[in-house]
Amino acid sequence: MKITVINGTDKKGVTYKLKEIFLEQFRENAEITEFDLPKDGPGFCIGCTACFMNDQNLCKDAEKVQKIEKALLEADLLVFSSPAYVFHTTGAMKAMLDHFGYRWMPHRPAKEMFGKRAVIITQCLGAGGASTAKDIKDSLSWWGISYIRKCTFKLMSDIKWDKIPKKKRDSMARKLRSLARKMLSIDYSKPAHTGLRTKTKFLVVRMMQTALGKTDPEYTDYKYWKANGWIDNIRPWKQSN
Ligand SMILES: Cc1cc2nc3c(=O)[nH]c(=O)nc-3n(C[C@H](O)[C@H](O)[C@H](O)COP(=O)(O)O)c2cc1C
């Protein structure tokens, strides 16, 4: 089994500890690839739109973005971790997600994503953990992933792991280990079920791409949809394994 982890902070703090507890049951048998942001991530998107309009390999950060994309596409399970920074995911995570705008469904989604499973782990001191998870989930669901599990914590005490009361640390660990057991029990040889919401989004975008293709058959995103057979009767959730 392959797991790709994107860490929204490279600090070995609370987020790191929580992510490690989740991963401990996988360590023995899984091949785990981790990207610690901002260290292993691309720089800020500068809005050149080369990825949208032309080719993602023209991005100034293509090497780093494509390395992350390859690891995401090869993984059975995707894990994202982030603390809340002013009610949202870290700037480093957002900077990375911006680079995958071209993979949103209205553009050129990867068919593999429709069968993936993902876990999002977020934590905050008091408020903002849920909106942080939503920042990440918005991208994942627009990439085509239906199976997304969120695990959000409010520390309500201290932001240093050792100063968090043991009772609280234990309860967070129990929740993470229980989610890990559930994720371990999945048969990853079968793709995740694609939900109705994802299918509806896809079909609405398909109508849009069909109309765009009539106006300009050379339009980059339309050509991609056409080449995948999605303008015709092929569907990515049947191709994702
Ligand atoms: C810049 C910054 C902004 C933060 N914003 C919030 C916030 O909006 N809400 C909150 O409850 N905690 C906030 N925190 C606390 C973090 O979410 C987190 O609990 C803390 O940084 C410990 O996690 P870490 O060791 O992984 O960094 C913030 C921390 C930092 C450094």
mmCIF file of all heavy atoms in Angstrom, residues 12-61:
data_model
loop_
_atom_site.group_PDB
_atom_site.id
_atom_site.type_symbol
_atom_site.label_atom_id
_atom_site.label_comp_id
_atom_site.label_asym_id
_atom_site.label_seq_id
_atom_site.Cartn_x
_atom_site.Cartn_y
_atom_site.Cartn_z
ATOM 1 N N LYS A 12 7.976 20.354 13.878
ATOM 2 C CA LYS A 12 7.698 19.073 14.564
ATOM 3 C C LYS A 12 6.884 19.377 15.820
ATOM 4 O O LYS A 12 7.327 19.146 16.943
ATOM 5 C CB LYS A 12 9.016 18.358 14.911
ATOM 6 C CG LYS A 12 9.894 18.051 13.695
ATOM 7 C CD LYS A 12 9.458 16.753 13.040
ATOM 8 C CE LYS A 12 10.336 16.351 11.870
ATOM 9 N NZ LYS A 12 10.105 17.083 10.624
ATOM 10 N N GLY A 13 5.702 19.918 15.622
ATOM 11 C CA GLY A 13 4.852 20.334 16.742
ATOM 12 C C GLY A 13 3.642 19.433 16.905
ATOM 13 O O GLY A 13 3.712 18.221 16.700
ATOM 14 N N VAL A 14 2.509 20.052 17.245
ATOM 15 C CA VAL A 14 1.285 19.292 17.533
ATOM 16 C C VAL A 14 0.753 18.610 16.276
ATOM 17 O O VAL A 14 0.386 17.430 16.299
ATOM 18 C CB VAL A 14 0.210 20.227 18.138
ATOM 19 C CG1 VAL A 14 -1.095 19.467 18.363
ATOM 20 C CG2 VAL A 14 0.702 20.849 19.441
ATOM 21 N N THR A 15 0.726 19.336 15.158
ATOM 22 C CA THR A 15 0.215 18.765 13.903
ATOM 23 C C THR A 15 1.035 17.528 13.550
ATOM 24 O O THR A 15 0.488 16.492 13.170
ATOM 25 C CB THR A 15 0.315 19.800 12.756
ATOM 26 O OG1 THR A 15 -0.101 21.070 13.246
ATOM 27 C CG2 THR A 15 -0.526 19.404 11.576
ATOM 28 N N TYR A 16 2.344 17.653 13.679
ATOM 29 C CA TYR A 16 3.259 16.543 13.386
ATOM 30 C C TYR A 16 2.956 15.339 14.277
ATOM 31 O O TYR A 16 2.858 14.205 13.804
ATOM 32 C CB TYR A 16 4.704 17.030 13.590
ATOM 33 C CG TYR A 16 5.737 15.945 13.535
ATOM 34 C CD1 TYR A 16 6.255 15.497 12.326
ATOM 35 C CD2 TYR A 16 6.202 15.353 14.720
ATOM 36 C CE1 TYR A 16 7.201 14.479 12.292
ATOM 37 C CE2 TYR A 16 7.148 14.342 14.683
ATOM 38 C CZ TYR A 16 7.644 13.909 13.468
ATOM 39 O OH TYR A 16 8.573 12.903 13.432
ATOM 40 N N LYS A 17 2.783 15.582 15.583
ATOM 41 C CA LYS A 17 2.514 14.489 16.528
ATOM 42 C C LYS A 17 1.221 13.767 16.155
ATOM 43 O O LYS A 17 1.160 12.535 16.153
ATOM 44 C CB LYS A 17 2.367 15.033 17.953
ATOM 45 C CG LYS A 17 3.669 15.521 18.545
ATOM 46 C CD LYS A 17 4.416 14.380 19.196
ATOM 47 C CE LYS A 17 5.615 14.919 19.970
ATOM 48 N NZ LYS A 17 6.562 13.861 20.302
ATOM 49 N N LEU A 18 0.181 14.540 15.831
ATOM 50 C CA LEU A 18 -1.121 13.941 15.506
ATOM 51 C C LEU A 18 -1.004 13.099 14.233
ATOM 52 O O LEU A 18 -1.505 11.978 14.155
ATOM 53 C CB LEU A 18 -2.193 15.033 15.345
ATOM 54 C CG LEU A 18 -2.500 15.836 16.625
ATOM 55 C CD1 LEU A 18 -3.445 16.997 16.304
ATOM 56 C CD2 LEU A 18 -3.101 14.954 17.715
ATOM 57 N N LYS A 19 -0.316 13.646 13.240
ATOM 58 C CA LYS A 19 -0.124 12.929 11.974
ATOM 59 C C LYS A 19 0.667 11.645 12.201
ATOM 60 O O LYS A 19 0.351 10.589 11.651
ATOM 61 C CB LYS A 19 0.573 13.877 10.978
ATOM 62 C CG LYS A 19 0.914 13.334 9.640
ATOM 63 C CD LYS A 19 2.304 12.746 9.532
ATOM 64 C CE LYS A 19 3.413 13.695 9.902
ATOM 65 N NZ LYS A 19 4.751 13.097 9.781
ATOM 66 N N GLU A 20 1.692 11.708 13.058
ATOM 67 C CA GLU A 20 2.497 10.510 13.365
ATOM 68 C C GLU A 20 1.649 9.428 14.044
ATOM 69 O O GLU A 20 1.796 8.247 13.748
ATOM 70 C CB GLU A 20 3.678 10.885 14.269
ATOM 71 C CG GLU A 20 4.816 11.558 13.528
ATOM 72 C CD GLU A 20 5.478 10.631 12.514
ATOM 73 O OE1 GLU A 20 6.022 9.598 12.912
ATOM 74 O OE2 GLU A 20 5.432 10.951 11.314
ATOM 75 N N ILE A 21 0.763 9.844 14.950
ATOM 76 C CA ILE A 21 -0.104 8.860 15.639
ATOM 77 C C ILE A 21 -0.994 8.177 14.598
ATOM 78 O O ILE A 21 -1.160 6.962 14.607
ATOM 79 C CB ILE A 21 -0.943 9.539 16.753
ATOM 80 C CG1 ILE A 21 -0.031 9.991 17.881
ATOM 81 C CG2 ILE A 21 -2.035 8.590 17.276
ATOM 82 C CD1 ILE A 21 -0.685 10.917 18.903
ATOM 83 N N PHE A 22 -1.548 8.958 13.672
ATOM 84 C CA PHE A 22 -2.394 8.363 12.625
ATOM 85 C C PHE A 22 -1.589 7.355 11.789
ATOM 86 O O PHE A 22 -2.071 6.271 11.467
ATOM 87 C CB PHE A 22 -2.988 9.451 11.722
ATOM 88 C CG PHE A 22 -3.767 8.887 10.570
ATOM 89 C CD1 PHE A 22 -5.047 8.369 10.761
ATOM 90 C CD2 PHE A 22 -3.205 8.816 9.306
ATOM 91 C CE1 PHE A 22 -5.759 7.802 9.706
ATOM 92 C CE2 PHE A 22 -3.910 8.253 8.240
ATOM 93 C CZ PHE A 22 -5.192 7.750 8.440
ATOM 94 N N LEU A 23 -0.356 7.708 11.452
ATOM 95 C CA LEU A 23 0.433 6.864 10.541
ATOM 96 C C LEU A 23 1.051 5.632 11.202
ATOM 97 O O LEU A 23 1.457 4.701 10.507
ATOM 98 C CB LEU A 23 1.563 7.691 9.902
ATOM 99 C CG LEU A 23 1.169 8.718 8.845
ATOM 100 C CD1 LEU A 23 2.416 9.444 8.349
ATOM 101 C CD2 LEU A 23 0.432 8.075 7.668
ATOM 102 N N GLU A 24 1.113 5.616 12.558
ATOM 103 C CA GLU A 24 1.909 4.553 13.214
ATOM 104 C C GLU A 24 1.452 3.143 12.827
ATOM 105 O O GLU A 24 2.284 2.259 12.642
ATOM 106 C CB GLU A 24 1.984 4.760 14.736
ATOM 107 C CG GLU A 24 0.698 4.577 15.478
ATOM 108 C CD GLU A 24 0.729 5.083 16.934
ATOM 109 O OE1 GLU A 24 1.673 5.789 17.328
ATOM 110 O OE2 GLU A 24 -0.214 4.768 17.651
ATOM 111 N N GLN A 25 0.150 2.940 12.649
ATOM 112 C CA GLN A 25 -0.338 1.590 12.308
ATOM 113 C C GLN A 25 -0.012 1.185 10.862
ATOM 114 O O GLN A 25 -0.131 0.027 10.499
ATOM 115 C CB GLN A 25 -1.851 1.503 12.515
ATOM 116 C CG GLN A 25 -2.260 1.638 13.972
ATOM 117 C CD GLN A 25 -3.763 1.584 14.141
ATOM 118 O OE1 GLN A 25 -4.393 0.588 13.863
ATOM 119 N NE2 GLN A 25 -4.338 2.689 14.600
ATOM 120 N N PHE A 26 0.356 2.163 10.038
ATOM 121 C CA PHE A 26 0.661 1.875 8.627
ATOM 122 C C PHE A 26 2.152 1.646 8.406
ATOM 123 O O PHE A 26 2.559 1.125 7.384
ATOM 124 C CB PHE A 26 0.238 3.053 7.736
ATOM 125 C CG PHE A 26 -1.240 3.331 7.737
ATOM 126 C CD1 PHE A 26 -1.793 4.251 8.614
ATOM 127 C CD2 PHE A 26 -2.092 2.679 6.852
ATOM 128 C CE1 PHE A 26 -3.157 4.518 8.613
ATOM 129 C CE2 PHE A 26 -3.453 2.936 6.842
ATOM 130 C CZ PHE A 26 -3.982 3.859 7.723
ATOM 131 N N ARG A 27 2.977 2.131 9.382
ATOM 132 C CA ARG A 27 4.435 2.188 9.167
ATOM 133 C C ARG A 27 5.040 0.866 8.714
ATOM 134 O O ARG A 27 5.920 0.855 7.862
ATOM 135 C CB ARG A 27 5.139 2.666 10.436
ATOM 136 C CG ARG A 27 4.933 4.141 10.737
ATOM 137 C CD ARG A 27 5.979 5.010 10.066
ATOM 138 N NE ARG A 27 5.729 6.432 10.321
ATOM 139 C CZ ARG A 27 5.966 7.389 9.433
ATOM 140 N NH1 ARG A 27 6.446 7.087 8.242
ATOM 141 N NH2 ARG A 27 5.715 8.638 9.718
ATOM 142 N N GLU A 28 4.559 -0.242 9.287
ATOM 143 C CA GLU A 28 5.191 -1.533 9.018
ATOM 144 C C GLU A 28 5.017 -1.986 7.568
ATOM 145 O O GLU A 28 5.949 -2.490 6.954
ATOM 146 C CB GLU A 28 4.621 -2.592 9.966
ATOM 147 C CG GLU A 28 5.615 -3.694 10.255
ATOM 148 C CD GLU A 28 5.137 -4.550 11.414
ATOM 149 O OE1 GLU A 28 4.851 -3.961 12.487
ATOM 150 O OE2 GLU A 28 5.023 -5.759 11.224
ATOM 151 N N ASN A 29 3.824 -1.768 7.025
ATOM 152 C CA ASN A 29 3.528 -2.353 5.708
ATOM 153 C C ASN A 29 3.372 -1.358 4.561
ATOM 154 O O ASN A 29 3.367 -1.769 3.406
ATOM 155 C CB ASN A 29 2.256 -3.200 5.787
ATOM 156 C CG ASN A 29 2.469 -4.397 6.693
ATOM 157 O OD1 ASN A 29 3.481 -5.078 6.585
ATOM 158 N ND2 ASN A 29 1.565 -4.615 7.619
ATOM 159 N N ALA A 30 3.217 -0.103 4.874
ATOM 160 C CA ALA A 30 2.962 0.851 3.786
ATOM 161 C C ALA A 30 4.238 1.566 3.349
ATOM 162 O O ALA A 30 5.180 1.735 4.131
ATOM 163 C CB ALA A 30 1.928 1.872 4.229
ATOM 164 N N GLU A 31 4.222 1.956 2.083
ATOM 165 C CA GLU A 31 5.317 2.787 1.564
ATOM 166 C C GLU A 31 4.824 4.233 1.671
ATOM 167 O O GLU A 31 3.848 4.605 1.014
ATOM 168 C CB GLU A 31 5.527 2.412 0.090
ATOM 169 C CG GLU A 31 6.743 3.017 -0.552
ATOM 170 C CD GLU A 31 6.776 2.675 -2.037
ATOM 171 O OE1 GLU A 31 6.550 1.498 -2.393
ATOM 172 O OE2 GLU A 31 6.997 3.602 -2.832
ATOM 173 N N ILE A 32 5.454 4.995 2.561
ATOM 174 C CA ILE A 32 4.934 6.341 2.858
ATOM 175 C C ILE A 32 5.868 7.416 2.299
ATOM 176 O O ILE A 32 7.067 7.420 2.578
ATOM 177 C CB ILE A 32 4.756 6.529 4.383
ATOM 178 C CG1 ILE A 32 3.818 5.433 4.940
ATOM 179 C CG2 ILE A 32 4.196 7.917 4.697
ATOM 180 C CD1 ILE A 32 3.655 5.441 6.451
ATOM 181 N N THR A 33 5.307 8.311 1.488
ATOM 182 C CA THR A 33 6.072 9.439 0.937
ATOM 183 C C THR A 33 5.515 10.714 1.552
ATOM 184 O O THR A 33 4.306 10.945 1.494
ATOM 185 C CB THR A 33 5.895 9.509 -0.595
ATOM 186 O OG1 THR A 33 6.256 8.243 -1.145
ATOM 187 C CG2 THR A 33 6.739 10.601 -1.230
ATOM 188 N N GLU A 34 6.387 11.512 2.142
ATOM 189 C CA GLU A 34 5.896 12.739 2.781
ATOM 190 C C GLU A 34 6.503 13.984 2.141
ATOM 191 O O GLU A 34 7.671 13.996 1.758
ATOM 192 C CB GLU A 34 6.235 12.728 4.279
ATOM 193 C CG GLU A 34 5.525 11.614 5.024
ATOM 194 C CD GLU A 34 5.449 11.863 6.516
ATOM 195 O OE1 GLU A 34 5.062 12.971 6.932
ATOM 196 O OE2 GLU A 34 5.775 10.929 7.268
ATOM 197 N N PHE A 35 5.685 15.017 2.056
ATOM 198 C CA PHE A 35 6.141 16.336 1.611
ATOM 199 C C PHE A 35 5.878 17.307 2.760
ATOM 200 O O PHE A 35 4.721 17.452 3.190
ATOM 201 C CB PHE A 35 5.385 16.781 0.357
ATOM 202 C CG PHE A 35 5.686 15.922 -0.845
ATOM 203 C CD1 PHE A 35 4.919 14.793 -1.121
ATOM 204 C CD2 PHE A 35 6.747 16.231 -1.690
ATOM 205 C CE1 PHE A 35 5.197 13.985 -2.220
ATOM 206 C CE2 PHE A 35 7.039 15.427 -2.797
ATOM 207 C CZ PHE A 35 6.259 14.304 -3.059
ATOM 208 N N ASP A 36 6.933 17.926 3.262
ATOM 209 C CA ASP A 36 6.786 18.898 4.346
ATOM 210 C C ASP A 36 6.827 20.294 3.745
ATOM 211 O O ASP A 36 7.840 20.700 3.163
ATOM 212 C CB ASP A 36 7.936 18.743 5.359
ATOM 213 C CG ASP A 36 7.917 17.375 6.044
ATOM 214 O OD1 ASP A 36 6.819 16.784 6.143
ATOM 215 O OD2 ASP A 36 8.996 16.915 6.466
ATOM 216 N N LEU A 37 5.726 21.013 3.922
ATOM 217 C CA LEU A 37 5.629 22.364 3.349
ATOM 218 C C LEU A 37 6.012 23.402 4.416
ATOM 219 O O LEU A 37 5.725 23.194 5.586
ATOM 220 C CB LEU A 37 4.202 22.617 2.861
ATOM 221 C CG LEU A 37 3.667 21.596 1.852
ATOM 222 C CD1 LEU A 37 2.223 21.921 1.495
ATOM 223 C CD2 LEU A 37 4.535 21.541 0.601
ATOM 224 N N PRO A 38 6.650 24.500 4.015
ATOM 225 C CA PRO A 38 6.953 24.909 2.644
ATOM 226 C C PRO A 38 8.221 24.296 2.048
ATOM 227 O O PRO A 38 8.463 24.419 0.849
ATOM 228 C CB PRO A 38 7.113 26.429 2.772
ATOM 229 C CG PRO A 38 7.586 26.639 4.162
ATOM 230 C CD PRO A 38 6.951 25.559 5.000
ATOM 231 N N LYS A 39 9.012 23.585 2.870
ATOM 232 C CA LYS A 39 10.329 23.097 2.425
ATOM 233 C C LYS A 39 10.263 22.335 1.100
ATOM 234 O O LYS A 39 11.042 22.614 0.178
ATOM 235 C CB LYS A 39 10.915 22.209 3.539
ATOM 236 C CG LYS A 39 12.271 21.615 3.268
ATOM 237 C CD LYS A 39 12.859 20.943 4.507
ATOM 238 C CE LYS A 39 12.027 19.823 5.102
ATOM 239 N NZ LYS A 39 12.000 18.582 4.333
ATOM 240 N N ASP A 40 9.358 21.377 0.988
ATOM 241 C CA ASP A 40 9.312 20.508 -0.200
ATOM 242 C C ASP A 40 8.303 20.971 -1.248
ATOM 243 O O ASP A 40 8.042 20.245 -2.213
ATOM 244 C CB ASP A 40 8.923 19.078 0.216
ATOM 245 C CG ASP A 40 9.888 18.509 1.240
ATOM 246 O OD1 ASP A 40 11.076 18.852 1.185
ATOM 247 O OD2 ASP A 40 9.439 17.719 2.092
ATOM 248 N N GLY A 41 7.738 22.135 -1.045
ATOM 249 C CA GLY A 41 6.666 22.559 -1.951
ATOM 250 C C GLY A 41 7.094 23.617 -2.958
ATOM 251 O O GLY A 41 8.202 24.151 -2.888
ATOM 252 N N PRO A 42 6.191 23.923 -3.890
ATOM 253 C CA PRO A 42 6.473 24.972 -4.872
ATOM 254 C C PRO A 42 6.369 26.348 -4.232
ATOM 255 O O PRO A 42 5.828 26.485 -3.129
ATOM 256 C CB PRO A 42 5.348 24.775 -5.895
ATOM 257 C CG PRO A 42 4.223 24.149 -5.130
ATOM 258 C CD PRO A 42 4.851 23.322 -4.042
ATOM 259 N N GLY A 43 6.867 27.355 -4.931
ATOM 260 C CA GLY A 43 6.694 28.744 -4.475
ATOM 261 C C GLY A 43 5.263 29.182 -4.749
ATOM 262 O O GLY A 43 4.416 28.391 -5.157
ATOM 263 N N PHE A 44 5.003 30.469 -4.553
ATOM 264 C CA PHE A 44 3.649 30.976 -4.805
ATOM 265 C C PHE A 44 3.310 30.939 -6.289
ATOM 266 O O PHE A 44 4.179 31.206 -7.138
ATOM 267 C CB PHE A 44 3.523 32.423 -4.320
ATOM 268 C CG PHE A 44 3.561 32.561 -2.824
ATOM 269 C CD1 PHE A 44 4.607 33.234 -2.206
ATOM 270 C CD2 PHE A 44 2.555 32.016 -2.036
ATOM 271 C CE1 PHE A 44 4.653 33.357 -0.827
ATOM 272 C CE2 PHE A 44 2.588 32.141 -0.657
ATOM 273 C CZ PHE A 44 3.641 32.808 -0.050
ATOM 274 N N CYS A 45 2.048 30.650 -6.575
ATOM 275 C CA CYS A 45 1.554 30.778 -7.947
ATOM 276 C C CYS A 45 1.584 32.262 -8.290
ATOM 277 O O CYS A 45 1.131 33.098 -7.498
ATOM 278 C CB CYS A 45 0.109 30.251 -8.009
ATOM 279 S SG CYS A 45 -0.731 30.680 -9.547
ATOM 280 N N ILE A 46 2.125 32.599 -9.469
ATOM 281 C CA ILE A 46 2.209 34.014 -9.860
ATOM 282 C C ILE A 46 1.110 34.380 -10.854
ATOM 283 O O ILE A 46 1.104 35.464 -11.413
ATOM 284 C CB ILE A 46 3.601 34.381 -10.424
ATOM 285 C CG1 ILE A 46 3.964 33.452 -11.592
ATOM 286 C CG2 ILE A 46 4.664 34.328 -9.331
ATOM 287 C CD1 ILE A 46 5.119 33.945 -12.447
ATOM 288 N N GLY A 47 0.195 33.442 -11.109
ATOM 289 C CA GLY A 47 -0.952 33.749 -11.970
ATOM 290 C C GLY A 47 -0.609 33.848 -13.443
ATOM 291 O O GLY A 47 -1.334 34.513 -14.199
ATOM 292 N N CYS A 48 0.431 33.156 -13.885
ATOM 293 C CA CYS A 48 0.801 33.236 -15.311
ATOM 294 C C CYS A 48 -0.239 32.518 -16.182
ATOM 295 O O CYS A 48 -0.310 32.767 -17.374
ATOM 296 C CB CYS A 48 2.199 32.658 -15.537
ATOM 297 S SG CYS A 48 2.254 30.855 -15.425
ATOM 298 N N THR A 49 -1.010 31.598 -15.561
ATOM 299 C CA THR A 49 -2.064 30.794 -16.205
ATOM 300 C C THR A 49 -1.557 29.829 -17.297
ATOM 301 O O THR A 49 -2.361 29.275 -18.049
ATOM 302 C CB THR A 49 -3.251 31.651 -16.761
ATOM 303 O OG1 THR A 49 -2.821 32.387 -17.895
ATOM 304 C CG2 THR A 49 -3.845 32.566 -15.707
ATOM 305 N N ALA A 50 -0.252 29.632 -17.349
ATOM 306 C CA ALA A 50 0.289 28.690 -18.354
ATOM 307 C C ALA A 50 -0.302 27.296 -18.163
ATOM 308 O O ALA A 50 -0.588 26.593 -19.131
ATOM 309 C CB ALA A 50 1.807 28.642 -18.270
ATOM 310 N N CYS A 51 -0.507 26.892 -16.896
ATOM 311 C CA CYS A 51 -1.052 25.542 -16.635
ATOM 312 C C CYS A 51 -2.474 25.434 -17.153
ATOM 313 O O CYS A 51 -2.852 24.427 -17.758
ATOM 314 C CB CYS A 51 -0.984 25.199 -15.147
ATOM 315 S SG CYS A 51 -1.905 26.321 -14.074
ATOM 316 N N PHE A 52 -3.288 26.462 -16.910
ATOM 317 C CA PHE A 52 -4.685 26.427 -17.359
ATOM 318 C C PHE A 52 -4.776 26.490 -18.884
ATOM 319 O O PHE A 52 -5.497 25.735 -19.517
ATOM 320 C CB PHE A 52 -5.472 27.640 -16.812
ATOM 321 C CG PHE A 52 -5.734 27.597 -15.332
ATOM 322 C CD1 PHE A 52 -5.251 28.589 -14.493
ATOM 323 C CD2 PHE A 52 -6.491 26.576 -14.770
ATOM 324 C CE1 PHE A 52 -5.512 28.569 -13.135
ATOM 325 C CE2 PHE A 52 -6.755 26.544 -13.411
ATOM 326 C CZ PHE A 52 -6.256 27.545 -12.591
ATOM 327 N N MET A 53 -4.046 27.437 -19.453
ATOM 328 C CA MET A 53 -4.230 27.761 -20.873
ATOM 329 C C MET A 53 -3.446 26.849 -21.810
ATOM 330 O O MET A 53 -3.824 26.665 -22.956
ATOM 331 C CB MET A 53 -3.805 29.221 -21.163
ATOM 332 C CG MET A 53 -4.475 30.270 -20.284
ATOM 333 S SD MET A 53 -6.271 30.129 -20.253
ATOM 334 C CE MET A 53 -6.687 30.660 -21.875
ATOM 335 N N ASN A 54 -2.348 26.310 -21.279
ATOM 336 C CA ASN A 54 -1.433 25.665 -22.214
ATOM 337 C C ASN A 54 -0.929 24.318 -21.706
ATOM 338 O O ASN A 54 -1.449 23.270 -22.055
ATOM 339 C CB ASN A 54 -0.281 26.656 -22.461
ATOM 340 C CG ASN A 54 0.445 26.395 -23.736
ATOM 341 O OD1 ASN A 54 0.324 25.316 -24.315
ATOM 342 N ND2 ASN A 54 1.222 27.356 -24.199
ATOM 343 N N ASP A 55 0.052 24.356 -20.781
ATOM 344 C CA ASP A 55 0.681 23.108 -20.350
ATOM 345 C C ASP A 55 1.242 23.306 -18.938
ATOM 346 O O ASP A 55 2.004 24.249 -18.703
ATOM 347 C CB ASP A 55 1.824 22.789 -21.346
ATOM 348 C CG ASP A 55 2.527 21.487 -21.031
ATOM 349 O OD1 ASP A 55 2.431 21.004 -19.889
ATOM 350 O OD2 ASP A 55 3.209 20.964 -21.935
ATOM 351 N N GLN A 56 0.884 22.405 -18.023
ATOM 352 C CA GLN A 56 1.328 22.512 -16.630
ATOM 353 C C GLN A 56 2.849 22.469 -16.485
ATOM 354 O O GLN A 56 3.408 22.955 -15.511
ATOM 355 C CB GLN A 56 0.690 21.421 -15.759
ATOM 356 C CG GLN A 56 0.944 19.986 -16.151
ATOM 357 C CD GLN A 56 -0.092 19.446 -17.129
ATOM 358 O OE1 GLN A 56 -0.740 20.194 -17.858
ATOM 359 N NE2 GLN A 56 -0.267 18.143 -17.144
ATOM 360 N N ASN A 57 3.525 21.896 -17.490
ATOM 361 C CA ASN A 57 4.987 21.800 -17.408
ATOM 362 C C ASN A 57 5.677 23.135 -17.691
ATOM 363 O O ASN A 57 6.889 23.248 -17.544
ATOM 364 C CB ASN A 57 5.493 20.711 -18.354
ATOM 365 C CG ASN A 57 5.045 19.345 -17.852
ATOM 366 O OD1 ASN A 57 5.304 18.999 -16.709
ATOM 367 N ND2 ASN A 57 4.311 18.619 -18.677
ATOM 368 N N LEU A 58 4.897 24.149 -18.083
ATOM 369 C CA LEU A 58 5.475 25.473 -18.315
ATOM 370 C C LEU A 58 5.525 26.309 -17.035
ATOM 371 O O LEU A 58 6.084 27.398 -17.018
ATOM 372 C CB LEU A 58 4.657 26.232 -19.379
ATOM 373 C CG LEU A 58 4.652 25.596 -20.775
ATOM 374 C CD1 LEU A 58 3.707 26.361 -21.693
ATOM 375 C CD2 LEU A 58 6.065 25.566 -21.359
ATOM 376 N N CYS A 59 4.932 25.810 -15.971
ATOM 377 C CA CYS A 59 4.936 26.526 -14.677
ATOM 378 C C CYS A 59 6.378 26.703 -14.200
ATOM 379 O O CYS A 59 7.194 25.794 -14.342
ATOM 380 C CB CYS A 59 4.135 25.715 -13.666
ATOM 381 S SG CYS A 59 4.217 26.340 -11.974
ATOM 382 N N LYS A 60 6.672 27.839 -13.591
ATOM 383 C CA LYS A 60 8.030 28.071 -13.074
ATOM 384 C C LYS A 60 8.399 27.040 -11.994
ATOM 385 O O LYS A 60 9.552 26.780 -11.741
ATOM 386 C CB LYS A 60 8.157 29.500 -12.514
ATOM 387 C CG LYS A 60 7.354 29.715 -11.235
ATOM 388 C CD LYS A 60 7.573 31.062 -10.589
ATOM 389 C CE LYS A 60 6.682 31.288 -9.377
ATOM 390 N NZ LYS A 60 6.775 30.353 -8.272
ATOM 391 N N ASP A 61 7.359 26.465 -11.349
ATOM 392 C CA ASP A 61 7.583 25.486 -10.276
ATOM 393 C C ASP A 61 7.228 24.068 -10.705
ATOM 394 O O ASP A 61 6.983 23.199 -9.847
ATOM 395 C CB ASP A 61 6.747 25.870 -9.046
ATOM 396 C CG ASP A 61 7.274 27.116 -8.357
ATOM 397 O OD1 ASP A 61 8.500 27.231 -8.227
ATOM 398 O OD2 ASP A 61 6.465 27.974 -7.969
#
